[in-house]
Amino acid sequence: MFVANRMAKNPVTVTPDTTVDEAALLMKKNHFRRLPVVEDGQLVGFLNDKDIMRVAPSPATTLSKYEITSLLAKMCIRDIMQKEVISVNEDATIEEAALLMCNHKIGGLPVVSSVGAVVGVITETDIFKALVDVMGLADGKTRITIEVDDKVGVVRDISEIFVDAGLNIDSLVTCKQPDGRYEIVIRGDMPDVEDIKQRLEAKEYKVIHTVRIG
C-alpha cells in the first residue's frame, strides 16, 4: 500500500510571499489544516493552522479589528512557516509515512515526486482510513485473533487449518507483543466461526478474540 494511492493529490499550495490572511482564508474556504509552501516548483516550507494561530492576536488584544486585519495582511508566510520540512516520497509505503508521523509527532506530511515537486499531502486521517481497509472493518467480514509463539512455520500451519476448513483468508496481520509472542489477526468469510476456532485450538493455537464486522 503506497502513499501515492492514499494521499490527497494536486494539493493547493502557497508561496513564501503569500500573506498570512490569504493563507488563512484558503484554509477556511477549503477546510484545510495544512498547506505546502512552494517556490520555483520546489518545496520550501509547510504551514498548518497552528502556525497561523500562533501569530494571530489573542482575544484579549487591545488591537481593533482593522488593526488585526492590517497586521496579518502585511505578514508573509515565510515569516511563520516551518522551514525544516519533513516530507515523504510518493513511492513510499503507508507504513513509512506513518512511522515518520509517529517519530516526529506530526499529523501530516507533504508528498514529493522524485524531482522534488509537491504532488500531494498525506495526513493521519489517510493513515487511519488505510488501517480500516487493511483490517476490513467495513466489509462485513469476520475477524479472528490468535495468540502464538514466535516459531518457524506458524503462519503455514494456520493457513493449512483454514484450507482444510475450506475457508479463504482475505488478510492476515501479525503484531509482536512485549513478551515476544505474536497476535495474528485473520479476516475472511467464516460462516461457522466456532468450527474454525475449535480447529485452531485442537492444534494448540489460542484464539483470544472473534468478531463479525458490519
Side-chain angles (χ1 to χ4, degrees), residues 42-55:
Q42 298 296 304
L43 180 68
V44 295
F46 203 44
L47 180 76
N48 62 42
D49 51 2
K50 292 181 180 179
D51 297 319
I52 292 179
M53 290 172 61
R54 192 178 67 249
V55 298

Side-chain angles (χ1 to χ4, degrees), residues 4 50 74-76 78 81 95 121 140 142 144 159 165 178 197:
K50 292 181 180 179
K74 292 177 182 177
M75 187 179 297
C76 291
R78 69 170 69 253
M81 69 182 187
E95 299 96 312
V121 172
T142 296
I144 188 166
S159 298
K197 180 179 177 180

Side-chain angles (χ1 to χ4, degrees), residues 174-185:
T174 65
C175 182
K176 190 171 185 177
Q177 303 303 301
D179 63 0
R181 305 190 77 196
Y182 279 81
E183 285 184 4
I184 297 179
V185 181

